[in-house]
Structure formats: C-alpha cells, structure tokens
C-alpha cells in the first residue's frame, strides 16, 4: 500500500465514520433516556434519502402519507391512553396540531413535488416529513410499554424495524435511488482529491455535535433529558415527564437520521433496506461507547469507519465481517468489567 492509497482510504473512512458517529449518538441518546435499543434508527436514513430522491424525480414522496397516517394513529393512541387514565377521551392539543401539520404539509408537497424543486427546497421538505416520524413512533408504539423490561422494549424495536423495512419496500420498491450532489466541486489537498460533498458531511456532523452539546448544556429541555438519562425516578420527582423526554429523544433521533440520509443520498445508491446495514455499524460504535458515553461512541465510529475502509482494500470480501467482529472483544471486555443485573 502506497501512502497515497492510505490517505485516500483514510479520507473515505473518516467520511463514513462521520455518518456512523451521528447514528451512534442517536442510539445512545434514545437508550439513555428511554432504555430502548432503537434498532430501526437506520430506517430514518433510507426513508430520508429516498424521499429526497422522489423530490429530485418530481414525484410526490410516499412518506408524506406515512406521516399523515402516523399522525392520526398517534392521536388515537394518545386519546385512548387519556381515557384509560381519566375515564374519558381527550385529544391533546399537540396531537391535533400534528394532524393539522400533516394535512397542510401533504397539500404543500403535492403542489411542489411535480415542479422538481431545487435542493434548497427539497431538503427542508424532506426533513419536515421525516423528523415528526420520531415522536409519532414513540407515542404510537413505545409510550404504552415504556415501563416494560429491556427485553420487551428490544423485541418491540426489532418488530418495528421489520415493519418499517416492509413498508419501505411497499412504498419505494426494490430499485435503489441516488440524488443530485449538494455540491460537485472538488479540490486537491496534497496528493488527495477531496470532494466538497465529503467536506460537507464532516462539517455537518461536527455542527450537529456542537448543537447537541449546546442543547444539553445550556437549555432546560436538554438538562431535563440529561436528568432523565441519569435517573428516571429522580427526574419524575422533580416534575420531568418521562413521556415528554421520550418523545424529545425520538425527535432528535429522527432529525439526526433524516440529516444523515440527506448527506449520504448523493454518495451512494440507497435502497429501501440500506438503512439497516448503516445503522448496524452505528450500533457497533455505540456499543464501543458502552451505550453511555457520547465521546467514546464518536471514537468508536471513527474506528469502525477506518477499519471498514482499510478492510475493503486488504480483504474486500470480508470487510463487513471484520467490522461486525469488532463488537465481540468489546462485549467480552464489558461483560467482565461491568456488573449486570437480571433483565439487562
């Protein structure tokens, strides 16, 4: 291997690591706040990328109908829980607002999509469709079983993953799609040819990390999420509602997944099930961080990205095996070091 090839592989690995880092942060955030190992995190990526691709082709993305149906289902489930709690049906204003938002967005998308909007319009519309799916999924599927065991929550997350993959096949078909690049400018950096799209991915990842740090350290909502992550019982004693914290963590997970989908949509062809493999590598990074440490998860993502990139050069046929095998020594080490309790 020449130094030039090593630099090229390192560049490719760092760009991939940036995406895995975002996924790992989302998985750690959701797990700390809700105890849910959110297996379907990758589906936000594939849904986002394929929604943006639909806008590029001038089609109305089918995900807008998923949003509308999900908003109605979320409102119904919320009303049923209120009836069980207070004895009568009551629609929360936020749920009514979500349904109205979905209807307005549906009308806007049906008007704009056939005109093949430019990226600066298509990307905000894509985020507007995908991001609300996070709290919708939490309210509809997880809020009612929030006090269940970790195993029950994991089974529900796995079932949701398979359901979303099936819905993705129904909505988008088996054909993959690739979007227009956000920027096609390239420049030389020493012996390397660097694309501005790669730089944009790294800068976007760094920007999101800074925003998350400011949110968790400076805002009341961020401190509430941190308190819930440290102790759910203690957070309830000081007036923090676990359901609100759960919805907020899912909102962040969906937002991170949607941005990740937009970033990789022009780098590779995305299929309805592509999100699972990408999400699984983010999961490996999160496990390296112990599902508890954001900096270690980011470091794990960098390790996964570089290992994948160099493995593709030396042992291309086994690169996925090598990446996923990385989790075995980490789990063994953590199993020997960390005490565990029944149900974990």
């Amino acid at each position: 291997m020449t130094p030039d090839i090593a630099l090229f592989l390192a560049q490719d690995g760092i760009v991939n690591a940036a995406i895995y880092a975002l996924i790992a942060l989302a998985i750690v955030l959701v797990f700390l706040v809700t105890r849910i190992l959110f297996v379907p995190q990758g589906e936000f990526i594939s849904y986002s990328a394929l929604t943006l691709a639909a806008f590029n082709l001038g089609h109305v993305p089918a995900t807008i109908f998923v949003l509308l149906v999900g908003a109605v289902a979320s409102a119904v489930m919320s009303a049923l829980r209120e009836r069980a709690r207070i004895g009568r049906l009551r629609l929360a204003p936020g749920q009514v607002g979500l349904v109205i938002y979905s209807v307005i967005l549906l009308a806007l998308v049906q008007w704009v999509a056939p005109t093949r909007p430019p990226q600066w319009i298509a990307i905000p519309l894509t985020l507007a469709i995908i991001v609300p799916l996070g709290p919708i999924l939490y309210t509809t599927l997880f809020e009612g079983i929030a006090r269940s065991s970790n195993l029950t929550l994991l089974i529900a997350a796995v079932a949701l993953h398979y359901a979303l993959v099936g819905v993705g096949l129904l909505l988008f078909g088996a054909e993959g799609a690739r979007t227009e690049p956000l920027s096609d400018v390239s420049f030389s950096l020493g012996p390397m040819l660097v694309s501005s799209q790669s730089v944009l991915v790294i800068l976007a990842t760094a920007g999101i990390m800074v925003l998350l740090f400011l949110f968790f350290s400076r805002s009341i909502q961020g401190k509430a999420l941190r308190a819930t992550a440290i102790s759910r019982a203690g957070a309830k004693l000081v007036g923090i509602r676990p359901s609100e914290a759960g919805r907020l963590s899912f909102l962040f997970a969906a937002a991170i997944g949607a941005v990740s989908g937009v970033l990789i949509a022009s780098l590779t062809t995305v299929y309805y099930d592509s999100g699972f493999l990408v999400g699984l590598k983010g999961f490996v990074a999160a496990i390296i961080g112990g599902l508890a440490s954001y900096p270690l998860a980011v470091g794990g993502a960098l390790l996964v990205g570089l290992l994948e990139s160099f493995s593709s050069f030396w042992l291309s046929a086994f690169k996925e095996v090598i990446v996923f095998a990385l989790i075995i020594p980490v789990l063994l080490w953590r199993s020997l070091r960390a005490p565990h309790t029944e149900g974990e």
Side-chain angles (χ1 to χ4, degrees):
M1 177 186 296
T2 64
D4 290 354
I5 293 177
L7 285 173
F8 175 79
L9 292 174
Q11 177 197 351
D12 188 52
I14 291 172
V15 173
N16 290 337
I19 299 297
Y20 300 153
L22 289 179
I23 299 168
L25 290 178
I27 290 174
V28 172
L29 171 62
V30 169
F31 182 77
L32 287 178
V33 175
T34 65
R35 295 182 296 118
I36 298 169
L37 195 54
F38 195 53
V39 180
Q41 176 64 31
E43 270 58 64
F44 289 131
I45 297 175
S46 53
Y47 275 39
S48 173
L50 293 171
T51 298
L52 183 60
F55 278 119
N56 286 173
L57 294 172
H59 300 159
V60 175
T63 42
I64 185 63
F65 301 105
V66 175
L67 174 64
L68 181 59
V69 172
V72 173
S74 176
V76 170
M77 291 300 293
S78 179
L80 291 176
R81 287 196 193 98
E82 285 296 299
R83 188 180 68 172
R85 190 173 68 88
I86 62 177
R88 62 184 175 84
L89 286 174
R90 188 182 70 175
L91 273 174
Q95 297 295 332
V96 177
L98 185 58
V99 174
I100 295 173
Y101 167 84
S102 303
V103 173
I104 294 174
L105 189 60
L106 172 62
L108 179 63
V109 167
Q110 286 186 321
W111 175 52
V112 171
T115 65
R116 297 186 67 177
Q119 294 290 60
W120 64 272
I121 294 178
I123 290 175
L125 285 175
T126 298
L127 299 180
I129 294 172
I130 301 300
V131 173
L133 292 178
I136 284 174
L137 290 176
Y138 180 78
T139 303
T140 307
L141 301 173
F142 291 106
E143 188 173 336
I145 58 172
R147 296 180 181 178
S148 303
S149 67
N150 289 4
L151 180 60
T152 302
L153 294 174
L154 176 61
I155 292 171
V158 172
L160 176 61
H161 156 69
Y162 283 112
L164 289 177
V165 170
V167 171
L169 176 60
L170 184 66
L171 296 180
F172 304 113
E175 297 295 326
R178 194 168 186 162
T179 66
E180 302 167 1
L182 301 177
S183 172
D184 54 3
V185 177
S186 299
F187 58 91
S188 297
L189 184 63
M192 290 191 303
L193 182 65
V194 181
S195 69
S196 55
Q197 181 76 21
S198 300
V199 176
L200 190 61
V201 170
I202 296 171
L203 290 179
T205 300
I208 290 173
M209 289 180 184
V210 171
L211 288 176
L212 285 175
F213 172 77
L214 293 175
F215 175 78
F216 285 118
S217 61
R218 303 292 175 84
S219 70
I220 297 296
Q221 292 84 357
K223 292 175 181 176
L225 282 184
R226 288 173 57 195
T228 307
I230 294 171
S231 171
R232 277 175 287 276
K236 287 178 68 175
L237 289 175
V238 296
I240 299 172
R241 298 180 61 185
S243 58
E244 294 294 336
R247 276 193 285 271
L248 190 55
S249 66
F250 269 64
L251 179 72
F252 276 107
I256 290 172
V259 172
S260 302
V262 169
L263 290 174
I264 70 168
S266 62
L267 295 175
T268 183
T269 301
V270 178
Y271 298 86
Y272 71 98
D273 59 350
S274 297
F276 178 64
L277 194 59
V278 180
L280 209 54
K281 291 171 184 172
F283 173 72
V284 172
I287 289 294
I288 293 174
L291 285 173
S293 170
Y294 297 108
L296 282 180
V298 174
L302 186 60
L303 177 61
V304 169
L306 291 174
L307 185 63
E308 179 189 26
S309 181
F310 282 88
S311 299
S312 65
F313 179 80
W314 295 107
L315 294 165
S316 177
F318 298 97
K319 67 173 185 178
E320 308 293 359
V321 176
I322 294 172
V323 169
F324 295 130
L326 182 65
I327 202 172
I328 297 175
V330 175
L331 288 177
L332 285 174
W333 180 72
R334 293 200 172 277
S335 176
L336 294 173
R337 272 182 58 87
H340 59 277
T341 60
E342 187 177 356
E344 288 186 341

